Amino acid sequence: MASNRTSIHGQWSSKWVFILAVTGSAVGLGNIWRFPYATADNGGGAFVLVYLVCVALVGLPIMMAEIMLGRRGRQSPINTMKTLAEDERQSRHWYLLGVMGVFAGFIILTFYSIVAGWTVAYVFQAMSGVFIGADAQQTQDLFGDLVSDPKRLLLWHTVFMSMTIFVISRGVRSGLEQAVRYLMPALFFLLVVLVVYSMSTPGFSEAMSFLFKPDFSQIEPSTILVALGHAFFTLSLGMGALMTYGSYLSDRTSIPTTSVAIAVMDTGAALLAGMAIFPIMFTYGLQPEEGGPGLIFKILPIAFGQMPYGRGLGVMFFVLLMLAAWTSAISLLEPVTAWLVEKKGYTRIRAAMSAGFVAWVLGIGSLLSLNLWSGAKLFGLTFFELVEYLSVNVLLPVGGLLMAVFAGWLMSKSSSLDELKSGRIGYMAWKVGAMYIAPAGVIIILLHNAFGLWGS
Ligand code: TRP
C-alpha cells in the first residue's frame, strides 16, 4: 500500500530532475579529485577493480534501499527513520540511524568545502595564465603555495560555503534544478576532451595498464576498505543525502532503473577522470604516490599549459569542477537543513545558515591541519585525514549497512515491493542484494580491516 505521505519541503518537478539532482550529488570531487588520488595511493588497477565490484554489488542495492526509505518516509532522514520504524513496528531507536547520517554528511561537508575551495582558487589561477608552459615542478609549487597559505584557503572555503548556503536557502527546486541541467553534460564533455588530449601523450599506455591491469599483490585489507568507503562516498550513499532527495521523488518513478543509470554515469565520470589524469602523470615522470590529495591540482595544469586553447579549457574545467562540487555539497547540507526546519521550525534560510556556519567553523580545523597544524597527528593522521577517514570509511559503510538491513529485513514485503516500483526480477535482485550481498560485504570488509589493523 502506498504511504500517501507528502513532503513539506516540496517535490521534484519530474523524474528527470530527480535523476539530474542525484547525479549532481553523486558526481563531484569524489570522481575527479578523490578517485584518482585514492587509486594512486592504493596501487592502481586492483583498487579500481575492487571499487567497481563494490559499486555494483554493495552500492547499488544500498542506493535503492536509501532512496526507497526516503520516498516512503518523506521527511529528513531522522524523522523518516522514526516514522518508518513506527509503520513497520520496529524499535524507535532507528531514528539514530538518521542522526548518524545527518552527522556524517555534516562532517563530510566540512572538509569537502576546503577542497572545493581549491577548485575556486584554480579557476583564477587558470585565468591568470600561470599554467602556460609550466613544468611539473612549477605546478607542484603552485599547489604547495596554496595549501600552505591559511588566509587564501580561508577565503575560498568561505566563498564556497556561502555558495552552498545560498542554494539551500532558496529551496531545493528553484536552487538546484537550474544548476544541474546543463552543467553536468558540459563537465562530461570537457572530461572527454581531456581524455582525447591524454591519448596523444606518451604515457597513455602505461596509464591504461596502471588503471585497468589489476596487480593483486597490491591488495591489503586497507585497500579494500578504502575502495568500499570510496564507493559510498562517490555515490553519496549512507548518510541520508539520497534519502532526502528520495523524499522529494514522485510516487511513480522506478527506483532500480534510475539508480542504475545514476551509478553508471557516476562511475563513467570517475573512469574518464582517471584516463585523463594518469597519462599526463606518467608522461611527466611523476610517481603515483607523490600526488596525494593534490594530485589533480598538480597534474592537470601541466596539460592545460601545453594543449591548444589550454587557458580557456583550463578555466572551463575548473569552473565545471567547482560547480560539480557545488551540486554535491548542496546534498550534504540539505539533510541537516530539512531536519532543522522540521524539528525546530526554523525558516529554510535560518536553518541553512546556522548549519552552514557550524560546518564552516569545523572546516577551519581541516584547513589549518594542511599548514599550521600539519604536525598535530592522532593515529598518524592529521585532523583533515582523520575526519575524512572516519566519515568515509566508517560512518558511511555503517550507515549504508543499517539502511540495507532495515529495508531488506525489517520492512514488510508489501511496503518494499510497493515502494521500489519495479518488475518481479528487479525486485528479487534487489532483495538478494539488500538482504545478503551488501550487508555481508560491508560486515566482512569492516571486520577484516579491524582485525587486520589490530593484528599489525
Ligand atoms: N558524492 C559526492 C562526490 O563524489 C560527495 C557527496 C555528496 C557525498 N553528497 C554525499 C558523499 C553524501 C557521501 C554522502 O563528490
PDB file of all heavy atoms in Angstrom, residues 24-31 105 108 112 230 232-242 266 324-325 327-329 331-332 396, ligand 1:
ATOM      1  N   GLY A  24      23.914  15.062  -9.874  1.00  0.00           N
ATOM      2  CA  GLY A  24      24.641  16.247  -9.403  1.00  0.00           C
ATOM      3  C   GLY A  24      25.269  15.990  -8.045  1.00  0.00           C
ATOM      4  O   GLY A  24      26.386  16.415  -7.768  1.00  0.00           O
ATOM      5  N   SER A  25      24.532  15.286  -7.196  1.00  0.00           N
ATOM      6  CA  SER A  25      25.063  14.966  -5.881  1.00  0.00           C
ATOM      7  C   SER A  25      26.200  13.962  -5.987  1.00  0.00           C
ATOM      8  O   SER A  25      27.247  14.101  -5.356  1.00  0.00           O
ATOM      9  CB  SER A  25      23.949  14.389  -4.999  1.00  0.00           C
ATOM     10  OG  SER A  25      24.498  13.731  -3.888  1.00  0.00           O
ATOM     11  N   ALA A  26      25.998  12.946  -6.810  1.00  0.00           N
ATOM     12  CA  ALA A  26      26.976  11.858  -6.898  1.00  0.00           C
ATOM     13  C   ALA A  26      28.255  12.324  -7.587  1.00  0.00           C
ATOM     14  O   ALA A  26      29.360  12.081  -7.107  1.00  0.00           O
ATOM     15  CB  ALA A  26      26.371  10.667  -7.636  1.00  0.00           C
ATOM     16  N   VAL A  27      28.109  12.985  -8.730  1.00  0.00           N
ATOM     17  CA  VAL A  27      29.298  13.397  -9.477  1.00  0.00           C
ATOM     18  C   VAL A  27      29.858  14.666  -8.855  1.00  0.00           C
ATOM     19  O   VAL A  27      29.177  15.687  -8.794  1.00  0.00           O
ATOM     20  CB  VAL A  27      28.958  13.650 -10.960  1.00  0.00           C
ATOM     21  CG1 VAL A  27      30.188  14.164 -11.700  1.00  0.00           C
ATOM     22  CG2 VAL A  27      28.440  12.383 -11.598  1.00  0.00           C
ATOM     23  N   GLY A  28      31.060  14.578  -8.367  1.00  0.00           N
ATOM     24  CA  GLY A  28      31.645  15.746  -7.718  1.00  0.00           C
ATOM     25  C   GLY A  28      33.122  15.520  -7.506  1.00  0.00           C
ATOM     26  O   GLY A  28      33.778  14.809  -8.283  1.00  0.00           O
ATOM     27  N   LEU A  29      33.633  16.074  -6.428  1.00  0.00           N
ATOM     28  CA  LEU A  29      35.051  15.917  -6.133  1.00  0.00           C
ATOM     29  C   LEU A  29      35.420  14.451  -5.965  1.00  0.00           C
ATOM     30  O   LEU A  29      36.547  14.051  -6.221  1.00  0.00           O
ATOM     31  CB  LEU A  29      35.392  16.678  -4.859  1.00  0.00           C
ATOM     32  CG  LEU A  29      35.207  18.187  -4.954  1.00  0.00           C
ATOM     33  CD1 LEU A  29      35.398  18.827  -3.585  1.00  0.00           C
ATOM     34  CD2 LEU A  29      36.196  18.775  -5.949  1.00  0.00           C
ATOM     35  N   GLY A  30      34.453  13.644  -5.532  1.00  0.00           N
ATOM     36  CA  GLY A  30      34.711  12.221  -5.357  1.00  0.00           C
ATOM     37  C   GLY A  30      35.227  11.592  -6.640  1.00  0.00           C
ATOM     38  O   GLY A  30      36.156  10.783  -6.615  1.00  0.00           O
ATOM     39  N   ASN A  31      34.641  11.959  -7.757  1.00  0.00           N
ATOM     40  CA  ASN A  31      35.018  11.352  -9.021  1.00  0.00           C
ATOM     41  C   ASN A  31      36.324  11.911  -9.558  1.00  0.00           C
ATOM     42  O   ASN A  31      37.157  11.181 -10.079  1.00  0.00           O
ATOM     43  CB  ASN A  31      33.932  11.620 -10.076  1.00  0.00           C
ATOM     44  CG  ASN A  31      32.577  11.227  -9.566  1.00  0.00           C
ATOM     45  OD1 ASN A  31      32.068  11.827  -8.620  1.00  0.00           O
ATOM     46  ND2 ASN A  31      32.008  10.201 -10.143  1.00  0.00           N
ATOM     47  N   GLY A 105      27.162  13.460   7.114  1.00  0.00           N
ATOM     48  CA  GLY A 105      27.129  14.353   5.964  1.00  0.00           C
ATOM     49  C   GLY A 105      27.680  15.717   6.319  1.00  0.00           C
ATOM     50  O   GLY A 105      28.424  16.350   5.557  1.00  0.00           O
ATOM     51  N   ILE A 108      31.379  15.517   6.550  1.00  0.00           N
ATOM     52  CA  ILE A 108      31.987  15.473   5.215  1.00  0.00           C
ATOM     53  C   ILE A 108      31.996  16.871   4.601  1.00  0.00           C
ATOM     54  O   ILE A 108      32.981  17.301   4.008  1.00  0.00           O
ATOM     55  CB  ILE A 108      31.236  14.469   4.309  1.00  0.00           C
ATOM     56  CG1 ILE A 108      31.475  13.039   4.818  1.00  0.00           C
ATOM     57  CG2 ILE A 108      31.683  14.597   2.856  1.00  0.00           C
ATOM     58  CD1 ILE A 108      30.677  11.979   4.086  1.00  0.00           C
ATOM     59  N   TYR A 112      34.928  18.851   2.615  1.00  0.00           N
ATOM     60  CA  TYR A 112      34.572  18.970   1.203  1.00  0.00           C
ATOM     61  C   TYR A 112      34.705  20.433   0.749  1.00  0.00           C
ATOM     62  O   TYR A 112      35.178  20.720  -0.347  1.00  0.00           O
ATOM     63  CB  TYR A 112      33.133  18.491   1.014  1.00  0.00           C
ATOM     64  CG  TYR A 112      32.802  18.004  -0.377  1.00  0.00           C
ATOM     65  CD1 TYR A 112      33.099  16.704  -0.758  1.00  0.00           C
ATOM     66  CD2 TYR A 112      32.195  18.838  -1.307  1.00  0.00           C
ATOM     67  CE1 TYR A 112      32.790  16.241  -2.020  1.00  0.00           C
ATOM     68  CE2 TYR A 112      31.882  18.382  -2.574  1.00  0.00           C
ATOM     69  CZ  TYR A 112      32.179  17.076  -2.919  1.00  0.00           C
ATOM     70  OH  TYR A 112      31.878  16.631  -4.176  1.00  0.00           O
ATOM     71  N   HIS A 230      35.126   4.498  -0.625  1.00  0.00           N
ATOM     72  CA  HIS A 230      35.046   5.390  -1.771  1.00  0.00           C
ATOM     73  C   HIS A 230      33.786   5.136  -2.596  1.00  0.00           C
ATOM     74  O   HIS A 230      33.185   6.072  -3.119  1.00  0.00           O
ATOM     75  CB  HIS A 230      36.283   5.303  -2.660  1.00  0.00           C
ATOM     76  CG  HIS A 230      36.241   6.333  -3.741  1.00  0.00           C
ATOM     77  ND1 HIS A 230      36.427   7.668  -3.481  1.00  0.00           N
ATOM     78  CD2 HIS A 230      35.933   6.232  -5.052  1.00  0.00           C
ATOM     79  CE1 HIS A 230      36.249   8.352  -4.593  1.00  0.00           C
ATOM     80  NE2 HIS A 230      35.960   7.507  -5.571  1.00  0.00           N
ATOM     81  N   PHE A 232      30.923   4.289  -1.451  1.00  0.00           N
ATOM     82  CA  PHE A 232      29.850   5.013  -0.749  1.00  0.00           C
ATOM     83  C   PHE A 232      29.964   6.508  -0.982  1.00  0.00           C
ATOM     84  O   PHE A 232      28.989   7.194  -1.249  1.00  0.00           O
ATOM     85  CB  PHE A 232      29.921   4.741   0.764  1.00  0.00           C
ATOM     86  CG  PHE A 232      29.276   3.452   1.159  1.00  0.00           C
ATOM     87  CD1 PHE A 232      30.010   2.281   1.236  1.00  0.00           C
ATOM     88  CD2 PHE A 232      27.926   3.400   1.451  1.00  0.00           C
ATOM     89  CE1 PHE A 232      29.415   1.088   1.587  1.00  0.00           C
ATOM     90  CE2 PHE A 232      27.319   2.205   1.803  1.00  0.00           C
ATOM     91  CZ  PHE A 232      28.065   1.048   1.875  1.00  0.00           C
ATOM     92  N   PHE A 233      31.190   7.001  -0.860  1.00  0.00           N
ATOM     93  CA  PHE A 233      31.396   8.443  -0.981  1.00  0.00           C
ATOM     94  C   PHE A 233      30.972   8.940  -2.359  1.00  0.00           C
ATOM     95  O   PHE A 233      30.242   9.906  -2.489  1.00  0.00           O
ATOM     96  CB  PHE A 233      32.868   8.761  -0.727  1.00  0.00           C
ATOM     97  CG  PHE A 233      33.189  10.230  -0.742  1.00  0.00           C
ATOM     98  CD1 PHE A 233      32.961  11.010   0.373  1.00  0.00           C
ATOM     99  CD2 PHE A 233      33.719  10.827  -1.875  1.00  0.00           C
ATOM    100  CE1 PHE A 233      33.249  12.369   0.362  1.00  0.00           C
ATOM    101  CE2 PHE A 233      34.010  12.188  -1.896  1.00  0.00           C
ATOM    102  CZ  PHE A 233      33.775  12.952  -0.766  1.00  0.00           C
ATOM    103  N   THR A 234      31.440   8.244  -3.372  1.00  0.00           N
ATOM    104  CA  THR A 234      31.202   8.741  -4.733  1.00  0.00           C
ATOM    105  C   THR A 234      29.730   8.632  -5.120  1.00  0.00           C
ATOM    106  O   THR A 234      29.225   9.427  -5.901  1.00  0.00           O
ATOM    107  CB  THR A 234      32.120   8.033  -5.745  1.00  0.00           C
ATOM    108  OG1 THR A 234      32.015   8.708  -6.991  1.00  0.00           O
ATOM    109  CG2 THR A 234      31.776   6.580  -5.930  1.00  0.00           C
ATOM    110  N   LEU A 235      29.023   7.648  -4.563  1.00  0.00           N
ATOM    111  CA  LEU A 235      27.594   7.528  -4.887  1.00  0.00           C
ATOM    112  C   LEU A 235      26.722   8.343  -3.919  1.00  0.00           C
ATOM    113  O   LEU A 235      25.505   8.287  -3.986  1.00  0.00           O
ATOM    114  CB  LEU A 235      27.162   6.067  -4.865  1.00  0.00           C
ATOM    115  CG  LEU A 235      27.761   5.155  -5.948  1.00  0.00           C
ATOM    116  CD1 LEU A 235      27.377   3.699  -5.697  1.00  0.00           C
ATOM    117  CD2 LEU A 235      27.300   5.571  -7.339  1.00  0.00           C
ATOM    118  N   SER A 236      27.351   9.060  -3.006  1.00  0.00           N
ATOM    119  CA  SER A 236      26.616   9.843  -1.990  1.00  0.00           C
ATOM    120  C   SER A 236      25.752   8.976  -1.088  1.00  0.00           C
ATOM    121  O   SER A 236      24.676   9.383  -0.652  1.00  0.00           O
ATOM    122  CB  SER A 236      25.708  10.905  -2.633  1.00  0.00           C
ATOM    123  OG  SER A 236      26.426  11.799  -3.404  1.00  0.00           O
ATOM    124  N   LEU A 237      26.227   7.770  -0.786  1.00  0.00           N
ATOM    125  CA  LEU A 237      25.411   6.826  -0.020  1.00  0.00           C
ATOM    126  C   LEU A 237      25.698   6.849   1.461  1.00  0.00           C
ATOM    127  O   LEU A 237      26.776   7.213   1.876  1.00  0.00           O
ATOM    128  CB  LEU A 237      25.753   5.395  -0.453  1.00  0.00           C
ATOM    129  CG  LEU A 237      25.342   4.972  -1.836  1.00  0.00           C
ATOM    130  CD1 LEU A 237      25.683   3.508  -2.001  1.00  0.00           C
ATOM    131  CD2 LEU A 237      23.856   5.210  -2.009  1.00  0.00           C
ATOM    132  N   GLY A 238      24.729   6.383   2.221  1.00  0.00           N
ATOM    133  CA  GLY A 238      24.988   6.010   3.604  1.00  0.00           C
ATOM    134  C   GLY A 238      24.804   7.108   4.625  1.00  0.00           C
ATOM    135  O   GLY A 238      25.009   6.871   5.806  1.00  0.00           O
ATOM    136  N   MET A 239      24.445   8.337   4.205  1.00  0.00           N
ATOM    137  CA  MET A 239      24.242   9.366   5.221  1.00  0.00           C
ATOM    138  C   MET A 239      22.895  10.070   5.092  1.00  0.00           C
ATOM    139  O   MET A 239      22.608  10.956   5.881  1.00  0.00           O
ATOM    140  CB  MET A 239      25.373  10.388   5.241  1.00  0.00           C
ATOM    141  CG  MET A 239      25.735  11.110   3.988  1.00  0.00           C
ATOM    142  SD  MET A 239      24.698  12.450   3.364  1.00  0.00           S
ATOM    143  CE  MET A 239      24.427  13.485   4.754  1.00  0.00           C
ATOM    144  N   GLY A 240      22.097   9.672   4.130  1.00  0.00           N
ATOM    145  CA  GLY A 240      20.772  10.273   4.063  1.00  0.00           C
ATOM    146  C   GLY A 240      20.606  11.359   3.018  1.00  0.00           C
ATOM    147  O   GLY A 240      19.544  11.949   2.908  1.00  0.00           O
ATOM    148  N   ALA A 241      21.661  11.622   2.236  1.00  0.00           N
ATOM    149  CA  ALA A 241      21.506  12.606   1.157  1.00  0.00           C
ATOM    150  C   ALA A 241      20.505  12.069   0.136  1.00  0.00           C
ATOM    151  O   ALA A 241      19.550  12.760  -0.261  1.00  0.00           O
ATOM    152  CB  ALA A 241      22.842  12.888   0.481  1.00  0.00           C
ATOM    153  N   LEU A 242      20.702  10.819  -0.264  1.00  0.00           N
ATOM    154  CA  LEU A 242      19.783  10.253  -1.249  1.00  0.00           C
ATOM    155  C   LEU A 242      18.421   9.966  -0.619  1.00  0.00           C
ATOM    156  O   LEU A 242      17.401   9.996  -1.294  1.00  0.00           O
ATOM    157  CB  LEU A 242      20.361   8.980  -1.858  1.00  0.00           C
ATOM    158  CG  LEU A 242      21.677   9.177  -2.621  1.00  0.00           C
ATOM    159  CD1 LEU A 242      22.037   7.924  -3.394  1.00  0.00           C
ATOM    160  CD2 LEU A 242      21.604  10.369  -3.563  1.00  0.00           C
ATOM    161  N   ASP A 266      27.985   7.985 -12.788  1.00  0.00           N
ATOM    162  CA  ASP A 266      28.978   8.354 -11.778  1.00  0.00           C
ATOM    163  C   ASP A 266      30.291   7.611 -12.005  1.00  0.00           C
ATOM    164  O   ASP A 266      31.374   8.193 -11.947  1.00  0.00           O
ATOM    165  CB  ASP A 266      28.422   8.041 -10.386  1.00  0.00           C
ATOM    166  CG  ASP A 266      29.350   8.530  -9.298  1.00  0.00           C
ATOM    167  OD1 ASP A 266      29.425   9.760  -9.117  1.00  0.00           O
ATOM    168  OD2 ASP A 266      30.019   7.693  -8.669  1.00  0.00           O
ATOM    169  N   ALA A 324      30.382  21.164 -10.073  1.00  0.00           N
ATOM    170  CA  ALA A 324      30.074  19.780  -9.705  1.00  0.00           C
ATOM    171  C   ALA A 324      30.209  19.611  -8.198  1.00  0.00           C
ATOM    172  O   ALA A 324      29.400  18.925  -7.554  1.00  0.00           O
ATOM    173  CB  ALA A 324      31.001  18.817 -10.438  1.00  0.00           C
ATOM    174  N   ALA A 325      31.220  20.252  -7.621  1.00  0.00           N
ATOM    175  CA  ALA A 325      31.396  20.188  -6.174  1.00  0.00           C
ATOM    176  C   ALA A 325      30.226  20.883  -5.477  1.00  0.00           C
ATOM    177  O   ALA A 325      29.740  20.435  -4.438  1.00  0.00           O
ATOM    178  CB  ALA A 325      32.714  20.850  -5.776  1.00  0.00           C
ATOM    179  N   THR A 327      27.042  21.206  -6.561  1.00  0.00           N
ATOM    180  CA  THR A 327      25.815  20.399  -6.563  1.00  0.00           C
ATOM    181  C   THR A 327      25.938  19.200  -5.615  1.00  0.00           C
ATOM    182  O   THR A 327      24.931  18.628  -5.219  1.00  0.00           O
ATOM    183  CB  THR A 327      25.456  19.899  -7.977  1.00  0.00           C
ATOM    184  OG1 THR A 327      26.570  19.199  -8.521  1.00  0.00           O
ATOM    185  CG2 THR A 327      25.072  21.041  -8.894  1.00  0.00           C
ATOM    186  N   SER A 328      27.179  18.805  -5.275  1.00  0.00           N
ATOM    187  CA  SER A 328      27.345  17.728  -4.296  1.00  0.00           C
ATOM    188  C   SER A 328      27.238  18.271  -2.874  1.00  0.00           C
ATOM    189  O   SER A 328      26.579  17.680  -2.015  1.00  0.00           O
ATOM    190  CB  SER A 328      28.712  17.064  -4.456  1.00  0.00           C
ATOM    191  OG  SER A 328      28.843  16.513  -5.739  1.00  0.00           O
ATOM    192  N   ALA A 329      27.871  19.405  -2.650  1.00  0.00           N
ATOM    193  CA  ALA A 329      27.867  19.992  -1.306  1.00  0.00           C
ATOM    194  C   ALA A 329      26.435  20.306  -0.871  1.00  0.00           C
ATOM    195  O   ALA A 329      26.078  20.152   0.296  1.00  0.00           O
ATOM    196  CB  ALA A 329      28.720  21.252  -1.289  1.00  0.00           C
ATOM    197  N   SER A 331      23.871  18.618  -1.453  1.00  0.00           N
ATOM    198  CA  SER A 331      23.197  17.428  -0.928  1.00  0.00           C
ATOM    199  C   SER A 331      23.756  17.032   0.433  1.00  0.00           C
ATOM    200  O   SER A 331      23.179  16.218   1.134  1.00  0.00           O
ATOM    201  CB  SER A 331      23.300  16.262  -1.913  1.00  0.00           C
ATOM    202  OG  SER A 331      24.608  15.750  -1.939  1.00  0.00           O
ATOM    203  N   LEU A 332      24.896  17.601   0.797  1.00  0.00           N
ATOM    204  CA  LEU A 332      25.423  17.342   2.139  1.00  0.00           C
ATOM    205  C   LEU A 332      24.764  18.259   3.169  1.00  0.00           C
ATOM    206  O   LEU A 332      24.612  17.894   4.325  1.00  0.00           O
ATOM    207  CB  LEU A 332      26.947  17.552   2.160  1.00  0.00           C
ATOM    208  CG  LEU A 332      27.768  16.505   1.397  1.00  0.00           C
ATOM    209  CD1 LEU A 332      29.191  16.982   1.168  1.00  0.00           C
ATOM    210  CD2 LEU A 332      27.782  15.180   2.144  1.00  0.00           C
ATOM    211  N   LEU A 396      29.976   6.070   6.694  1.00  0.00           N
ATOM    212  CA  LEU A 396      29.148   5.796   5.512  1.00  0.00           C
ATOM    213  C   LEU A 396      28.853   4.299   5.352  1.00  0.00           C
ATOM    214  O   LEU A 396      27.692   3.914   5.163  1.00  0.00           O
ATOM    215  CB  LEU A 396      29.777   6.358   4.232  1.00  0.00           C
ATOM    216  CG  LEU A 396      29.925   7.884   4.141  1.00  0.00           C
ATOM    217  CD1 LEU A 396      30.539   8.287   2.805  1.00  0.00           C
ATOM    218  CD2 LEU A 396      28.604   8.596   4.348  1.00  0.00           C
TER     219      LEU A 396
HETATM  220  N1  TRP B   1      29.268  12.034  -3.993  1.00  0.00           N
HETATM  221  C1  TRP B   1      29.899  13.307  -3.885  1.00  0.00           C
HETATM  222  C2  TRP B   1      31.196  13.276  -4.664  1.00  0.00           C
HETATM  223  O1  TRP B   1      31.525  12.284  -5.244  1.00  0.00           O
HETATM  224  C3  TRP B   1      30.086  13.745  -2.468  1.00  0.00           C
HETATM  225  C4  TRP B   1      28.830  13.659  -1.686  1.00  0.00           C
HETATM  226  C5  TRP B   1      27.729  14.415  -1.862  1.00  0.00           C
HETATM  227  C6  TRP B   1      28.532  12.735  -0.678  1.00  0.00           C
HETATM  228  N2  TRP B   1      26.740  14.009  -1.012  1.00  0.00           N
HETATM  229  C7  TRP B   1      27.207  12.969  -0.278  1.00  0.00           C
HETATM  230  C8  TRP B   1      29.253  11.719  -0.101  1.00  0.00           C
HETATM  231  C9  TRP B   1      26.614  12.198   0.701  1.00  0.00           C
HETATM  232  C10 TRP B   1      28.659  10.946   0.886  1.00  0.00           C
HETATM  233  C11 TRP B   1      27.336  11.163   1.275  1.00  0.00           C
HETATM  234  O2  TRP B   1      31.897  14.236  -4.706  1.00  0.00           O
END
